[in-house]
Amino acid sequence: LKRRSSAHSVSPQHPLPLRPERARAAMAALPTFSMDEVAKHNTKEDCWIVLYGKAYDLTKFGKVHPGGAALIFDNAGKDATKVFDPIHPKDIMEKLLKPSLTMGNVDPASIKDEHIAKAPEKHAAPKKKKAASAAVEEDVEFKKPPLAAMLNTFDFESVAREVMEPQAWGYYSSGGDDEITLRDN
Protein backbone atom coordinates (compact mmCIF):
# COMPACT_ATOMS: atom_id res chain seq x y z
CA LEU A 1 0.00 0.00 0.00
CA LYS A 2 1.15 3.49 -0.80
CA ARG A 3 0.95 5.90 2.02
CA ARG A 4 -0.74 9.22 1.33
CA SER A 5 1.26 12.31 2.02
CA SER A 6 0.30 14.50 4.94
CA ALA A 7 -2.25 17.24 4.54
CA HIS A 8 0.45 19.87 4.90
CA SER A 9 2.71 18.71 2.11
CA VAL A 10 2.70 20.86 -0.99
CA SER A 11 2.67 19.54 -4.51
CA PRO A 12 3.79 21.88 -7.29
CA GLN A 13 0.42 21.50 -9.00
CA HIS A 14 -1.71 22.17 -5.93
CA PRO A 15 0.06 24.46 -3.48
CA LEU A 16 -1.66 24.79 -0.14
CA PRO A 17 -1.77 27.99 1.84
CA LEU A 18 0.93 28.28 4.49
CA ARG A 19 0.03 27.38 8.03
CA PRO A 20 -0.04 30.45 10.30
CA GLU A 21 3.39 29.77 11.83
CA ARG A 22 4.94 29.29 8.37
CA ALA A 23 3.19 32.41 7.04
CA ARG A 24 4.71 34.43 9.91
CA ALA A 25 8.14 32.95 9.18
CA ALA A 26 7.81 33.77 5.46
CA MET A 27 6.80 37.34 6.27
CA ALA A 28 9.71 37.67 8.69
CA ALA A 29 12.04 36.46 5.93
CA LEU A 30 11.20 39.51 3.83
CA PRO A 31 13.60 42.42 4.14
CA THR A 32 12.46 45.51 6.01
CA PHE A 33 12.81 48.89 4.31
CA SER A 34 12.55 52.40 5.64
CA MET A 35 9.98 54.59 3.96
CA ASP A 36 12.81 56.82 2.75
CA GLU A 37 14.19 53.85 0.77
CA VAL A 38 10.76 53.12 -0.73
CA ALA A 39 10.34 56.81 -1.62
CA LYS A 40 13.33 56.52 -4.00
CA HIS A 41 11.25 54.22 -6.24
CA ASN A 42 8.90 56.95 -7.44
CA THR A 43 8.93 56.85 -11.25
CA LYS A 44 7.09 54.99 -13.99
CA GLU A 45 10.28 53.02 -14.64
CA ASP A 46 10.76 52.11 -10.96
CA CYS A 47 7.47 52.20 -9.05
CA TRP A 48 7.10 50.83 -5.54
CA ILE A 49 3.94 51.35 -3.53
CA VAL A 50 3.30 50.52 0.12
CA LEU A 51 0.00 48.86 1.05
CA TYR A 52 -0.75 47.67 4.58
CA GLY A 53 2.90 47.83 5.59
CA LYS A 54 4.34 45.95 2.61
CA ALA A 55 6.23 47.41 -0.34
CA TYR A 56 5.25 46.14 -3.81
CA ASP A 57 7.03 46.71 -7.13
CA LEU A 58 4.16 47.78 -9.40
CA THR A 59 6.31 49.03 -12.29
CA LYS A 60 4.88 46.56 -14.83
CA PHE A 61 1.46 46.18 -13.24
CA GLY A 62 0.86 49.94 -13.31
CA LYS A 63 0.71 49.87 -17.10
CA VAL A 64 -2.15 47.32 -17.09
CA HIS A 65 -3.98 48.43 -13.94
CA PRO A 66 -7.73 48.22 -14.67
CA GLY A 67 -8.33 51.60 -13.01
CA GLY A 68 -5.66 53.30 -15.11
CA ALA A 69 -1.90 53.70 -14.91
CA ALA A 70 -2.13 57.19 -13.41
CA LEU A 71 -3.58 55.84 -10.16
CA ILE A 72 -0.51 53.67 -9.68
CA PHE A 73 2.18 56.03 -10.94
CA ASP A 74 0.79 59.09 -9.14
CA ASN A 75 1.35 57.25 -5.86
CA ALA A 76 4.79 55.81 -6.66
CA GLY A 77 7.12 55.79 -3.68
CA LYS A 78 4.27 56.40 -1.21
CA ASP A 79 2.09 54.54 1.24
CA ALA A 80 -1.15 54.35 -0.76
CA THR A 81 -3.17 52.31 1.73
CA LYS A 82 -5.72 55.12 2.28
CA VAL A 83 -6.30 55.43 -1.47
CA PHE A 84 -6.37 51.65 -2.04
CA ASP A 85 -8.52 50.57 0.90
CA PRO A 86 -11.95 52.00 -0.07
CA ILE A 87 -11.83 50.33 -3.49
CA HIS A 88 -10.00 46.99 -3.17
CA PRO A 89 -10.19 43.97 -0.88
CA LYS A 90 -7.23 43.88 1.52
CA ASP A 91 -5.92 40.53 0.24
CA ILE A 92 -6.06 41.32 -3.50
CA MET A 93 -2.30 41.82 -3.77
CA GLU A 94 -1.55 38.30 -2.55
CA LYS A 95 -4.20 36.87 -4.88
CA LEU A 96 -3.15 38.64 -8.08
CA LEU A 97 0.53 39.51 -7.87
CA LYS A 98 3.49 37.17 -8.10
CA PRO A 99 5.22 36.78 -4.72
CA SER A 100 8.40 38.17 -6.29
CA LEU A 101 6.70 41.58 -6.55
CA THR A 102 6.43 41.82 -2.76
CA MET A 103 9.67 43.65 -2.05
CA GLY A 104 9.46 43.57 1.72
CA ASN A 105 8.00 45.05 4.87
CA VAL A 106 8.17 48.73 5.70
CA ASP A 107 9.23 49.96 9.12
CA PRO A 108 6.08 51.72 10.39
CA ALA A 109 8.16 54.11 12.51
CA SER A 110 9.78 55.47 9.34
CA ILE A 111 6.51 56.55 7.70
CA LYS A 112 6.05 60.33 7.82
CA ASP A 113 3.12 62.44 6.64
CA GLU A 114 4.88 63.31 3.37
CA HIS A 115 5.13 59.59 2.57
CA ILE A 116 1.38 59.01 2.73
CA ALA A 117 -0.62 59.31 -0.49
CA LYS A 118 -3.54 61.65 -0.08
CA ALA A 119 -6.94 60.12 -0.66
CA PRO A 120 -9.14 62.09 -3.02
CA GLU A 121 -11.20 64.68 -1.22
CA LYS A 122 -14.56 63.41 -0.11
CA HIS A 123 -17.40 65.18 -1.76
CA ALA A 124 -20.63 65.75 0.09
CA ALA A 125 -23.50 63.66 -1.14
CA PRO A 126 -25.06 65.37 -4.12
CA LYS A 127 -28.13 67.34 -3.36
CA LYS A 128 -31.26 66.20 -5.10
CA LYS A 129 -33.73 68.65 -6.48
CA LYS A 130 -37.16 68.14 -5.09
CA ALA A 131 -40.14 70.02 -6.34
CA ALA A 132 -41.64 71.94 -3.42
CA SER A 133 -44.24 73.38 -5.72
CA ALA A 134 -44.70 73.63 -9.44
CA ALA A 135 -42.73 76.90 -9.60
CA VAL A 136 -40.05 76.53 -6.87
CA GLU A 137 -37.40 73.81 -6.50
CA GLU A 138 -35.22 73.30 -3.45
CA ASP A 139 -32.10 71.22 -2.86
CA VAL A 140 -32.43 68.35 -0.40
CA GLU A 141 -29.37 66.52 0.96
CA PHE A 142 -29.48 62.72 0.72
CA LYS A 143 -30.15 61.05 4.06
CA LYS A 144 -29.39 57.36 4.55
CA PRO A 145 -32.41 55.32 5.62
CA PRO A 146 -32.15 53.22 8.80
CA LEU A 147 -30.67 49.77 8.23
CA ALA A 148 -33.89 48.09 9.35
CA ALA A 149 -35.74 49.84 6.50
CA MET A 150 -33.49 48.30 3.85
CA LEU A 151 -35.14 45.09 2.69
CA ASN A 152 -33.12 43.86 -0.29
CA THR A 153 -30.00 44.38 -2.39
CA PHE A 154 -31.71 47.05 -4.47
CA ASP A 155 -32.15 49.16 -1.33
CA PHE A 156 -28.45 48.77 -0.46
CA GLU A 157 -27.49 49.56 -4.05
CA SER A 158 -29.50 52.78 -4.13
CA VAL A 159 -27.87 53.98 -0.90
CA ALA A 160 -24.38 52.96 -2.07
CA ARG A 161 -24.87 54.90 -5.31
CA GLU A 162 -25.56 58.03 -3.27
CA VAL A 163 -22.83 57.76 -0.63
CA MET A 164 -19.83 56.16 -2.37
CA GLU A 165 -17.18 58.10 -4.24
CA PRO A 166 -17.84 57.90 -8.02
CA GLN A 167 -14.67 55.89 -8.68
CA ALA A 168 -15.45 53.37 -5.94
CA TRP A 169 -19.08 53.10 -7.05
CA GLY A 170 -17.98 52.48 -10.64
CA TYR A 171 -15.65 49.71 -9.50
CA TYR A 172 -18.13 47.89 -7.27
CA SER A 173 -21.16 48.35 -9.49
CA SER A 174 -19.25 46.80 -12.39
CA GLY A 175 -18.55 43.67 -10.35
CA GLY A 176 -14.85 44.54 -10.56
CA ASP A 177 -14.09 43.36 -7.04
CA ASP A 178 -14.27 39.68 -8.00
CA GLU A 179 -11.46 40.14 -10.59
CA ILE A 180 -12.84 37.22 -12.67
CA THR A 181 -12.61 39.09 -15.97
CA LEU A 182 -9.08 40.24 -15.15
CA ARG A 183 -7.90 36.68 -14.41
CA ASP A 184 -9.66 35.19 -17.46
CA ASN A 185 -8.18 37.68 -19.92
Side-chain angles (χ1 to χ4, degrees):
L1 287 177
K2 285 192 176 182
R3 192 170 198 177
R4 288 187 157 213
S5 60
S6 76
H8 294 293
S9 66
V10 177
S11 76
Q13 292 141 351
H14 300 289
L16 296 173
L18 294 175
R19 293 188 306 194
E21 61 273 10
R22 287 189 184 166
R24 281 190 291 277
M27 189 170 170
L30 290 172
T32 299
F33 296 99
S34 72
M35 199 59 209
D36 287 331
E37 176 61 34
V38 173
K40 295 175 186 175
H41 303 272
N42 61 3
T43 67
K44 290 180 182 180
E45 296 77 28
D46 183 23
C47 175
W48 288 17
I49 290 182
V50 174
L51 299 169
Y52 304 105
K54 288 186 182 178
Y56 297 93
D57 182 348
L58 300 184
T59 306
K60 290 182 182 175
F61 177 74
K63 297 170 187 161
V64 297
H65 180 246
L71 292 171
I72 300 293
F73 297 134
D74 287 351
N75 294 301
K78 297 180 183 176
D79 182 338
T81 304
K82 286 184 179 180
V83 176
F84 178 89
D85 191 56
I87 300 171
H88 300 88
K90 187 174 181 176
D91 63 347
I92 193 98
M93 302 306 281
E94 283 77 28
K95 287 181 179 178
L96 293 180
L97 293 181
K98 295 176 186 174
S100 63
L101 297 178
T102 303
M103 305 314 295
N105 298 308
V106 176
D107 177 10
S110 69
I111 301 173
K112 301 173 190 152
D113 284 342
E114 65 263 18
H115 295 132
I116 298 173
K118 304 299 181 230
E121 289 184 25
K122 291 228 176 221
H123 303 289
K127 296 186 177 189
K128 300 288 180 181
K129 296 202 179 229
K130 192 174 190 178
S133 67
V136 180
E137 289 186 355
E138 74 179 72
D139 288 336
V140 178
E141 188 173 332
F142 177 78
K143 185 175 179 191
K144 287 191 271 188
L147 186 59
M150 298 172 66
L151 304 175
N152 56 40
T153 58
F154 297 110
D155 294 339
F156 283 97
E157 181 180 346
S158 66
V159 171
R161 184 181 304 113
E162 297 296 330
V163 299
M164 291 180 79
E165 292 295 319
Q167 183 179 8
W169 171 246
Y171 182 79
Y172 280 110
S173 66
S174 70
D177 62 329
D178 64 14
E179 305 292 347
I180 290 172
T181 303
L182 176 64
R183 285 193 306 264
D184 289 346
N185 286 331

